[in-house]
Amino acid sequence: MNILFIMYDQLRFDYLSCAGHPHLHTPNFDRVAERGVRFTNAYVQSPICGASRMSFYTGRYVSSHGAQWNGFPLRVGEVTLGDHLRALGMDCWLLGKTHMKADAKGMERLGLAPDSMIGARQADCGFDAWARDDGLWGSGPDGDYDQKRSPYNEYLKARGYDGDNPWADYANAGVSDGEIASGWMFMNADKPANIREEDSETPWLTSETIRFVDQAKGPWCAHVSFIKPHWPYIVPAPYHDMYGHNQIQPPLRHPVELDDPHPVLGAYHDARVAQAFQRDEVRDKVIPAYMGLIKQCDDQLGRLLDHLEATGQMDDTMIVLTSDHGDYLGDHWLGEKDFFHEASVKIPMIICDPRTSADATRGTTCDALVEGIDLAATFVEAAGGAVPDHIIEGRSLMPWLRGEAPKDWRQFVISEYDYSVTPRAEALGVQPRDARMMMVFDGRWKLIHFEGGFRPMLFDLETDPHEFADLGDDPAYQAQVDRLYDCLGQWGRRMAQRVTMSDDDVRAARGRSMRRGILPFLADGSEVPEELTVKYRGPARQVHAKTPMAKEESHDV
Amino acid sequence: MNILFIMYDQLRFDYLSCAGHPHLHTPNFDRVAERGVRFTNAYVQSPICGASRMSFYTGRYVSSHGAQWNGFPLRVGEVTLGDHLRALGMDCWLLGKTHMKADAKGMERLGLAPDSMIGARQADCGFDAWARDDGLWGSGPDGDYDQKRSPYNEYLKARGYDGDNPWADYANAGVSDGEIASGWMFMNADKPANIREEDSETPWLTSETIRFVDQAKGPWCAHVSFIKPHWPYIVPAPYHDMYGHNQIQPPLRHPVELDDPHPVLGAYHDARVAQAFQRDEVRDKVIPAYMGLIKQCDDQLGRLLDHLEATGQMDDTMIVLTSDHGDYLGDHWLGEKDFFHEASVKIPMIICDPRTSADATRGTTCDALVEGIDLAATFVEAAGGAVPDHIIEGRSLMPWLRGEAPKDWRQFVISEYDYSVTPRAEALGVQPRDARMMMVFDGRWKLIHFEGGFRPMLFDLETDPHEFADLGDDPAYQAQVDRLYDCLGQWGRRMAQRVTMSDDDVRAARGRSMRRGILPFLADGSEVPEELTVKYRGPARQVHAKTPMAKEESHDV
């Protein structure tokens, strides 16, 4: 079986028709959901591209892998999905975005050449790159934002688009009345992108994916990682005017949220992106473009699914559709992601396992508490391996796909956010290491802990599903706060770094040293019954226990 | 300045005359204490050789480096003291024991050759090995306990001691009436070792140290790591009969400790080593030998100090004396270490800084809460560096040596123990990952947390300095338990893995992307005052903020 691990960037959990969006029809996402399981309570380990993706690609919490924000290098030697799958005989390919930054200092310290295969995999987060393109090719007075080569820009140039950076000048610029309009300005979001639709980013990566699957020898895992519907919010015709104002969801916000908010949330309210999305004209321009980008993703997904069907590959390909985080779009008076309301931290997750073992659950939903790190464990099991749970902290979702309900499933999910690089840290006057927040959510109660001495926030999603009322400073809810802090404390004590010894290694290490001549803790040897001793060349009467006693005592060394 | 980082294995904090031992006179330890500062509240990060040492050598908690027990490999790429000091132009040498096990799988995954310089440093915990000898050369029916070469065994053979393993047959065997007696048997501890005193382990490593310092070009840090007074408890004449029964400290134990003890402590009471040390005749045999081993260490320390004085090296050598953990010796009905009573988790720590900046504190003691991981930070500062506190979790002790008292010093120390490989895990029926315990001690209250569903233990060292009364299940002390769990929770949320980005790196990363063409979150560009915009070749009117605005917004990407 092969694995098609498809990620859309910044796709909200509720902007799919199978997830209940009343106006955005996504028949192809729905088509996968009808053949698989849609997880309705899936959460990312951090609502920001880089940190979230490093968790998807390692199966580990952000505090475990340490790459806490965009551009924070993933420590050299951190074991990735690619390492796990290749060891099981499954190739692991990348098409599109990872937002991975290599640990250049660490690689140099270990003498790893960036152009070696090992070095390249270290730099690409463990993947073999079919086409790596992180999808943000801005350039300005200080040079390029991304120093790597852009296969997509190379494609556009080959297609005749001129200039050094057609990504900026065509794919992400608008056009109206022959005038070029910057795709960066929200007010230009209703203009069509300055590019032929078939040459825009989503069709391009879909074509690359078709090229890949047609030549790939299985078993393979392909991470197909689209930059859209991530900003710049601009989409080519006909998608640019497919949706009108009357199809925009009203903002999920309440004045009470602006009334003496928690200091950190207040700092987010003041961010320029929040200020912009608090304006109805911005939402009216941006959200139809965002919906158009998703509609284009859905059409291209259909094209890919049709190709898999036409080439008979549907029956041996597991298809996974998910996102690295959501998009506030003005909900809670916020834009972007970066905080822990459902619009930001909850993601779509749809898994279609073609095997008969999953027949019982096709077309169903699962409301178990699921985390992005669970996919790495799921893929290892799909590749026929046992999940190395001393390294991968996620849990395989396979039981749910088989219709089982593990009794010992997790009771809460964790997400983290490091805002040390953002203006919020300076505005709040917190040190970089204290500019961190953590969410613990048990399915009803959501606690947000802040380092740096701030009070926690608390939401009750049962009585307040829209998360308007922060109960964090209400003494009446102290018991819930304490209980969720106990959960956070339990999580904080987890064993996350004993990555060189599995539980099986630990069991195998028991009872070894005594039969290798380490014989402490004997008063005079009489503790060892004669029939349990063995003689061997050595000084005096050396007592050597056979396995039973050896197991009992010898591993105190 | 050079650093002589001397570690004795299993040396109790209170078995020195400067620490108050009434019968064991250690004039040379005292001599260093008179010239420096003796830290009276120093604790190891784990009361077991391997895990404790990996914390000393990385400056990180056990849960951070992950090498939780003897023989658990230190993850490849983990940054060590050697990496930090060499970057500051200071060599970092090893003489003696580390108990380091290389991460062979990780090195293979990264293509690191064990015989390369980088590979060798990975295998020797970041040190360059002048003479690595871990000091446990047992061999039995299943072969050798330690597969490496033993410079000490090679020395003995060159000195004419015969057999494959003179370490076992001479240095650690006793002799009486011409009969060879196994050094492993406690009942043989009163016999002299079957070796000339000057050829035993402690004098050998002292001679190696003198050879090293006489040829070394500074600045250097030398980790001189003696295996003694660690068992086998046997010492050559004249040390074997230097101390009599009347000079043995009475056991620090109380019947109440055996009355319905905590299940995990109860399992330790049942260990063979505990059973042995509960017998007076075992203490009467072992403790005089243990004292003799320490007396020999002190004499050899005097020899080394005399040599440094004679060669004028005292004035530019910082001398550090410490241990990796203690030894119960029958206290609390226990033997060995492996638990959190003071006899096990508290260590001697004496630092003599020759510089005038430390003159004010010579001959004083410091009762601040100190951890083994603080030495790595101290050495980095001694080498002229700034402590990389995103990697090293310990704190430099230099302020204390200068007579300062940092107001923000830690409020509690942490120690951890993983007993998953020991018989206790099986006896208690806990899974490997749950066979972990953690101590948090604030100078008065000591909480011991156990994974696996056991209740905590609690001691009040003010009213119960000998730690006889476990208050962990007394409702009257719930507030203290809760408070210490808050400390443990705070520690559990620490930032331990963001090792690729320092706080300075974070600050430098602010405000970069906007001037590299990433311009999100602008409605129409009018938010940017014209005087703040810069024009450059690009599509449409591209708004580029200068640094002030860039700093404000551009790092949301």
Side-chain angles (χ1 to χ4, degrees):
Chain A
M1 185 170 68
N2 303 318
I3 301 170
L4 202 51
F5 168 28
I6 303 178
M7 181 174 285
Y8 300 92
D9 198 307
Q10 201 146 331
L11 174 61
R12 269 177 72 127
F13 74 97
D14 56 353
Y15 269 55
L16 301 172
S17 42
C18 57
H21 197 287
H23 305 294
L24 179 58
H25 185 43
T26 53
N28 294 296
F29 280 90
D30 301 5
R31 178 172 161 193
V32 178
E34 284 154 15
R35 300 176 183 193
V37 175
R38 185 168 64 84
F39 293 87
T40 60
N41 284 302
Y43 293 84
V44 285
Q45 271 48 74
S46 186
I48 181 76
C49 303
S52 174
R53 288 162 178 272
M54 296 310 109
S55 286
F56 274 103
Y57 306 151
T58 61
R60 291 160 60 72
Y61 290 103
V62 171
S63 287
S64 300
H65 62 63
Q68 296 171 197
W69 208 70
N70 294 340
F72 286 24
L74 183 68
R75 170 179 48 204
V76 65
E78 188 73 7
V79 184
T80 61
L81 184 57
D83 296 312
H84 294 298
L85 295 184
R86 278 189 295 272
L88 296 166
M90 178 179 277
D91 291 336
C92 194
W93 292 91
L94 168 67
L95 297 85
K97 170 175 178 171
T98 63
H99 222 123
M100 163 76 181
K101 184 169 181 184
D103 177 11
K105 282 185 204 163
M107 288 173 66
E108 184 184 0
R109 201 170 59 247
L110 294 180
L112 298 183
D115 57 356
S116 66
M117 173 175 282
I118 288 172
R121 284 173 174 169
Q122 286 292 312
D124 281 337
C125 204
F127 293 106
D128 289 317
W130 170 270
R132 175 177 177 177
D133 192 300
D134 279 357
L136 284 177
W137 301 102
S139 59
D142 290 351
D144 298 335
Y145 169 71
D146 188 333
Q147 309 298 318
K148 297 187 292 298
R149 55 173 281 260
S150 166
Y152 178 61
N153 254 341
E154 290 166 10
Y155 164 83
L156 290 181
K157 290 172 189 175
R159 295 280 290 168
Y161 295 92
D162 63 1
D164 293 343
N165 187 2
W167 176 90
D169 299 351
Y170 295 94
N172 289 279
V175 61
S176 67
D177 320 327
E179 272 288 296
I180 302 296
S182 170
W184 291 115
M185 306 301 155
F186 293 151
M187 287 311 179
N188 293 333
D190 61 343
K191 299 179 174 56
N194 183 28
I195 191 170
R196 292 185 294 272
E197 189 274 335
E198 64 268 26
D199 290 332
S200 58
E201 289 155 291
T202 302
W204 166 74
L205 190 60
T206 303
S207 301
E208 285 297 316
T209 306
I210 289 169
R211 280 210 307 130
F212 169 83
V213 297
D214 285 351
Q215 60 76 51
K217 303 273 171 292
W220 48 260
C221 172
H223 179 43
V224 179
S225 186
F226 294 95
I227 182 63
K228 295 303 180 186
H230 189 285
W231 46 257
Y233 299 108
I234 197 149
V235 61
Y239 298 99
H240 73 295
D241 62 359
M242 214 172 260
Y243 301 96
H245 300 177
N246 58 343
Q247 291 159 304
I248 297 177
Q249 297 290 87
L252 211 62
R253 66 191 185 200
H254 192 289
V256 72
E257 295 178 283
L258 301 177
D259 174 19
D260 187 25
H262 186 285
V264 179
L265 180 60
Y268 273 91
H269 287 154
D270 297 339
R272 174 164 286 109
V273 66
Q275 299 286 325
F277 274 94
Q278 287 167 25
R279 296 165 55 182
D280 288 343
E281 62 271 33
V282 168
R283 298 183 73 255
D284 290 347
K285 292 272 190 176
V286 168
I287 294 178
Y290 181 74
M291 292 168 72
L293 286 165
I294 296 169
K295 183 65 177 178
Q296 186 186 28
C297 289
D298 185 78
D299 287 340
Q300 291 298 318
L301 173 60
R303 185 180 151 222
L304 178 57
L305 295 174
D306 292 344
H307 181 80
L308 292 175
E309 277 174 353
T311 54
Q313 299 188 69
M314 280 296 261
D315 299 340
D316 63 358
T317 305
M318 167 181 273
I319 299 173
V320 178
L321 307 176
T322 191
S323 175
D324 58 347
H325 54 74
D327 190 327
Y328 274 107
L329 297 174
D331 289 357
H332 306 288
W333 313 94
L334 298 171
E336 273 278 81
K337 48 268 184 180
D338 313 307
F339 212 81
F340 296 118
H341 297 93
E342 299 285 274
S344 169
V345 73
K346 192 171 180 174
I347 51 168
M349 189 177 287
I350 302 170
I351 304 180
C352 172
D353 180 343
R355 296 170 299 184
T356 55
S357 57
D359 287 350
T361 60
R362 303 198 188 285
T364 65
T365 59
C366 175
D367 61 4
L369 289 170
V370 165
E371 298 180 318
I373 55 176
D374 294 340
L375 286 184
T378 304
F379 297 165
V380 166
E381 185 176 346
V387 178
D389 61 7
H390 60 304
I391 303 175
I392 292 180
E393 300 184 282
R395 295 190 53 178
S396 172
L397 299 174
M398 284 294 177
W400 300 109
L401 298 176
R402 289 190 297 260
E404 304 159 10
K407 285 182 186 54
D408 63 344
W409 196 252
R410 72 171 59 89
Q411 297 300 304
F412 54 86
V413 292
I414 295 285
S415 192
E416 305 175 76
Y417 193 84
D418 179 329
Y419 61 94
S420 60
V421 171
T422 77
R424 260 62 67 197
E426 288 163 317
L428 292 161
V430 299
Q431 291 304 305
R433 68 176 48 241
D434 292 330
R436 296 181 295 130
M437 39 184 168
M438 304 171 183
M439 174 198 84
V440 51
F441 176 57
D442 68 4
R444 173 178 176 178
W445 299 94
K446 182 183 286 188
L447 178 89
I448 304 174
H449 163 79
F450 301 85
E451 293 293 311
F454 301 103
R455 69 165 177 87
M457 293 179 69
L458 180 71
F459 294 105
D460 175 1
L461 275 73
E462 185 173 294
T463 61
D464 176 31
H466 295 328
E467 307 175 279
F468 293 148
D470 172 13
L471 309 172
D473 59 356
D474 183 339
Y477 294 91
Q478 190 58 46
Q480 288 299 339
V481 168
D482 293 344
R483 185 180 62 81
L484 291 162
Y485 263 105
D486 287 344
C487 296
L488 197 57
Q490 174 190 332
W491 174 78
R493 296 188 307 262
R494 75 197 182 280
M495 190 188 68
Q497 303 303 330
R498 194 196 72 189
V499 293
T500 61
M501 291 281 290
S502 69
D503 283 10
D504 287 345
D505 293 333
V506 167
R507 293 188 186 93
R510 294 173 177 167
R512 276 208 186 136
S513 57
M514 201 153 199
R515 288 182 55 88
R516 293 180 178 275
I518 302 299
L519 308 170
F521 323 141
L522 300 180
D524 56 15
S526 63
E527 302 92 329
V528 190
E530 198 57 36
E531 67 275 14
L532 280 186
T533 67
V534 292
K535 298 285 187 297
Y536 90 112
R537 181 209 61 71
R541 173 174 175 277
Q542 290 280 16
V543 176
H544 284 277
K546 288 194 166 49
T547 314
M549 171 180 170
K551 284 203 80 63
E552 183 193 344
E553 271 312 324
S554 70
H555 29 84
D556 277 315
V557 176
Chain B
M1 185 170 68
N2 304 316
I3 301 171
L4 201 51
F5 169 27
I6 303 177
M7 181 174 283
Y8 299 92
D9 198 308
Q10 201 145 332
L11 174 61
R12 269 177 73 127
F13 75 97
D14 55 353
Y15 268 55
L16 301 172
S17 41
C18 58
H21 197 288
H23 304 296
L24 180 58
H25 186 223
T26 53
N28 295 296
F29 279 90
D30 300 4
R31 180 172 157 192
V32 178
E34 283 153 17
R35 301 177 181 192
V37 175
R38 185 168 63 86
F39 292 88
T40 60
N41 283 303
Y43 293 85
V44 285
Q45 271 46 75
S46 185
I48 180 79
C49 303
S52 174
R53 289 162 177 272
M54 296 310 108
S55 285
F56 274 102
Y57 306 151
T58 61
R60 291 160 60 73
Y61 291 103
V62 171
S63 287
S64 300
H65 62 63
Q68 297 172 198
W69 208 70
N70 294 339
F72 287 22
L74 184 69
R75 171 180 47 205
V76 66
E78 188 73 7
V79 185
T80 60
L81 183 58
D83 296 312
H84 295 297
L85 295 184
R86 278 189 296 270
L88 296 166
M90 178 179 277
D91 292 335
C92 195
W93 291 93
L94 168 67
L95 296 86
K97 170 173 178 172
T98 63
H99 222 123
M100 162 77 182
K101 184 171 180 184
D103 176 11
K105 281 186 203 162
M107 287 173 67
E108 184 184 2
R109 200 170 62 246
L110 294 180
L112 299 184
D115 57 358
S116 66
M117 174 175 280
I118 288 171
R121 284 172 174 168
Q122 285 292 313
D124 281 335
C125 204
F127 293 106
D128 289 317
W130 170 270
R132 176 177 176 178
D133 192 300
D134 279 357
L136 284 177
W137 301 103
S139 59
D142 290 350
D144 299 335
Y145 170 70
D146 188 332
Q147 309 297 317
K148 298 188 291 297
R149 56 173 280 260
S150 166
Y152 178 61
N153 254 340
E154 290 165 11
Y155 164 82
L156 289 181
K157 290 173 189 175
R159 297 280 289 169
Y161 295 91
D162 63 359
D164 294 342
N165 188 0
W167 175 90
D169 299 351
Y170 295 94
N172 289 279
V175 60
S176 68
D177 321 326
E179 270 288 296
I180 302 296
S182 170
W184 292 114
M185 306 303 155
F186 293 150
M187 286 313 178
N188 293 333
D190 60 342
K191 298 178 175 57
N194 182 29
I195 191 169
R196 291 184 295 271
E197 190 273 336
E198 65 267 24
D199 289 333
S200 58
E201 289 155 292
T202 302
W204 167 74
L205 190 61
T206 303
S207 300
E208 285 297 316
T209 306
I210 289 169
R211 278 210 310 131
F212 169 81
V213 298
D214 285 350
Q215 59 76 53
K217 303 271 169 295
W220 48 259
C221 173
H223 179 44
V224 179
S225 186
F226 293 95
I227 181 63
K228 296 304 180 185
H230 189 286
W231 46 256
Y233 299 109
I234 196 149
V235 61
Y239 298 99
H240 73 295
D241 62 359
M242 213 173 263
Y243 302 95
H245 300 177
N246 58 340
Q247 291 160 304
I248 297 177
Q249 295 291 85
L252 211 60
R253 66 191 186 199
H254 191 291
V256 71
E257 295 179 283
L258 300 177
D259 174 20
D260 186 26
H262 187 285
V264 179
L265 179 59
Y268 274 91
H269 287 153
D270 297 339
R272 175 165 286 108
V273 67
Q275 299 286 323
F277 274 95
Q278 287 167 25
R279 296 164 55 182
D280 289 342
E281 61 271 33
V282 167
R283 299 182 73 256
D284 290 347
K285 292 270 192 178
V286 169
I287 295 178
Y290 181 74
M291 291 168 71
L293 286 165
I294 295 168
K295 183 65 177 177
Q296 186 186 27
C297 289
D298 186 77
D299 288 340
Q300 292 298 317
L301 174 60
R303 186 180 150 222
L304 177 57
L305 296 175
D306 292 344
H307 182 80
L308 293 176
E309 277 174 354
T311 53
Q313 299 187 69
M314 281 296 261
D315 299 341
D316 63 357
T317 304
M318 167 181 272
I319 299 172
V320 177
L321 306 176
T322 190
S323 175
D324 58 347
H325 54 73
D327 190 327
Y328 274 107
L329 297 174
D331 290 357
H332 305 287
W333 313 94
L334 298 171
E336 272 279 80
K337 48 268 184 182
D338 313 308
F339 212 81
F340 296 117
H341 298 92
E342 300 284 273
S344 169
V345 74
K346 192 171 182 173
I347 51 169
M349 188 177 287
I350 302 170
I351 304 180
C352 172
D353 180 342
R355 297 170 300 184
T356 55
S357 57
D359 287 350
T361 60
R362 304 197 187 285
T364 65
T365 59
C366 174
D367 61 3
L369 290 170
V370 164
E371 298 180 317
I373 56 177
D374 294 339
L375 286 184
T378 304
F379 297 165
V380 166
E381 186 176 346
V387 179
D389 61 7
H390 60 302
I391 302 175
I392 292 181
E393 299 184 282
R395 295 191 54 177
S396 172
L397 299 174
M398 284 294 178
W400 299 109
L401 298 177
R402 290 190 296 260
E404 302 159 10
K407 287 186 184 51
D408 63 344
W409 195 253
R410 71 170 61 86
Q411 297 300 305
F412 54 85
V413 292
I414 296 285
S415 192
E416 306 176 75
Y417 193 84
D418 178 330
Y419 61 94
S420 60
V421 170
T422 77
R424 260 61 69 197
E426 289 164 316
L428 292 162
V430 300
Q431 291 304 306
R433 70 175 45 243
D434 292 330
R436 295 181 296 129
M437 38 184 170
M438 304 171 184
M439 174 198 83
V440 51
F441 176 56
D442 68 3
R444 172 178 177 179
W445 299 94
K446 182 183 287 187
L447 178 89
I448 304 174
H449 163 79
F450 302 84
E451 294 292 311
F454 302 101
R455 67 163 177 89
M457 293 177 71
L458 180 71
F459 294 104
D460 176 1
L461 275 72
E462 183 173 295
T463 61
D464 175 31
H466 295 329
E467 306 175 279
F468 293 148
D470 171 15
L471 309 171
D473 59 356
D474 183 339
Y477 295 92
Q478 190 58 46
Q480 288 300 339
V481 168
D482 293 344
R483 184 180 61 81
L484 291 162
Y485 263 106
D486 287 344
C487 296
L488 196 58
Q490 174 190 332
W491 174 79
R493 297 188 306 262
R494 76 196 183 282
M495 190 188 69
Q497 305 302 330
R498 195 196 73 188
V499 294
T500 60
M501 291 282 289
S502 69
D503 283 10
D504 287 344
D505 292 334
V506 166
R507 294 188 186 94
R510 293 172 178 168
R512 279 212 185 133
S513 57
M514 201 153 200
R515 288 180 56 87
R516 293 179 178 275
I518 302 299
L519 309 168
F521 324 141
L522 301 179
D524 56 14
S526 64
E527 302 93 328
V528 190
E530 197 59 35
E531 66 274 16
L532 279 187
T533 66
V534 292
K535 297 284 186 298
Y536 90 111
R537 182 211 60 71
R541 172 174 177 279
Q542 291 280 16
V543 176
H544 284 279
K546 288 194 166 46
T547 313
M549 172 179 168
K551 284 202 78 63
E552 184 193 345
E553 272 310 325
S554 70
H555 29 83
D556 277 315
V557 177

